[in-house]
Amino acid sequence: MATARDYRQRRRSRRDRHGRGLRGTLYPATLPAAASRAERFDALVLDALEPIEARWRHELTKLDVAVDDVPEVRENGNTPADGVLHDGAVPLSRLVPAGVDRTGLPTRARIVLYRRPLEARAKDPSELAELVHDVLVEQVAGYLGVEPDVIEGE
C-alpha cells in the first residue's frame, strides 16, 4: 500500500521543491557540448591511439589502454614507480606489465593515462591532443622496448 510519504519521495525525485526542474536534456546527444569532459578525453585518447595502432597492430595485440581520473596514491603517499611517466612529481601515465591478478588469473599489459593531470598541463584542446599523443608514444615505446622515434616512424 502506497503512503503519502512514498508519493512525496517519488514526486520529489523528478522535480525540485517548486515543481520546476529540468524537463529533458540540455543539449541533444548529437552535439559536442552534450559530451562530458571524460567522454571527450576518451575520444581524444582513441584518436591519438589510432595511428599508432595502425602501424604496430601485430605488436600491440596484447596491450590495453585505459583512462583513470587521477593516479593511485598508496598509504605512504607514494605512487607506484615502475613504468610511470612523470611530469615533475605528478604521474601522467603508467605502463602496467602483464602478470597475474590476486585471484590467479592472467592479466594483459595496459597503459593507464591519468586524465586530470594531463588536462591540467594543457592550455587548450590542441595542446592536450598533442600531449596525449606524446604520452602514448612514450608508453608504447616502453612497452615494445624501442625508442619513441621508431614508434612515430621518424
Side-chain angles (χ1 to χ4, degrees):
M1 177 171 181
T3 63
R5 181 181 218 189
D6 293 335
Y7 175 73
R8 280 193 308 259
Q9 285 179 340
R10 205 169 358 122
R11 187 170 164 224
R12 204 177 302 146
S13 67
R14 290 182 294 183
R15 302 285 185 173
D16 63 9
R17 69 186 189 113
H18 297 289
R20 296 182 297 266
L22 262 142
R23 293 194 174 114
T25 57
L26 195 56
Y27 295 105
T30 57
L31 293 178
S36 69
R37 284 173 47 187
E39 291 170 337
R40 287 191 300 267
F41 188 82
D42 291 346
L44 192 67
V45 169
L46 290 174
D47 290 343
L49 184 63
E50 189 176 340
I52 298 169
E53 201 172 50
R55 185 160 190 247
W56 298 91
R57 181 170 312 278
H58 299 294
E59 290 84 356
L60 299 179
T61 56
K62 297 194 185 307
L63 178 71
D64 293 332
V65 176
V67 174
D68 222 349
D69 281 340
V70 292
E72 174 188 327
V73 177
R74 300 229 170 119
E75 294 172 6
N76 59 5
N78 295 332
T79 56
D82 54 326
V84 176
L85 183 63
H86 289 278
D87 178 25
V90 179
L92 300 177
S93 67
R94 180 169 183 228
L95 175 61
V96 180
V100 179
D101 67 3
R102 294 180 197 141
T103 61
L105 296 172
T107 60
R108 293 165 46 116
R110 76 178 172 275
I111 295 172
V112 181
L113 298 171
Y114 300 120
R115 178 178 65 87
R116 301 282 304 266
L118 286 166
E119 286 177 340
R121 272 142 191 79
K123 294 179 182 136
D124 56 32
S126 63
E127 188 176 325
L128 180 60
E130 187 177 317
L131 181 61
V132 167
H133 175 75
D134 292 345
V135 167
L136 274 173
V137 166
E138 287 281 332
Q139 291 293 26
V140 169
Y143 172 73
L144 296 176
V146 298
E147 292 295 318
D149 294 342
V150 175
I151 298 297
E152 294 207 62
E154 295 176 2

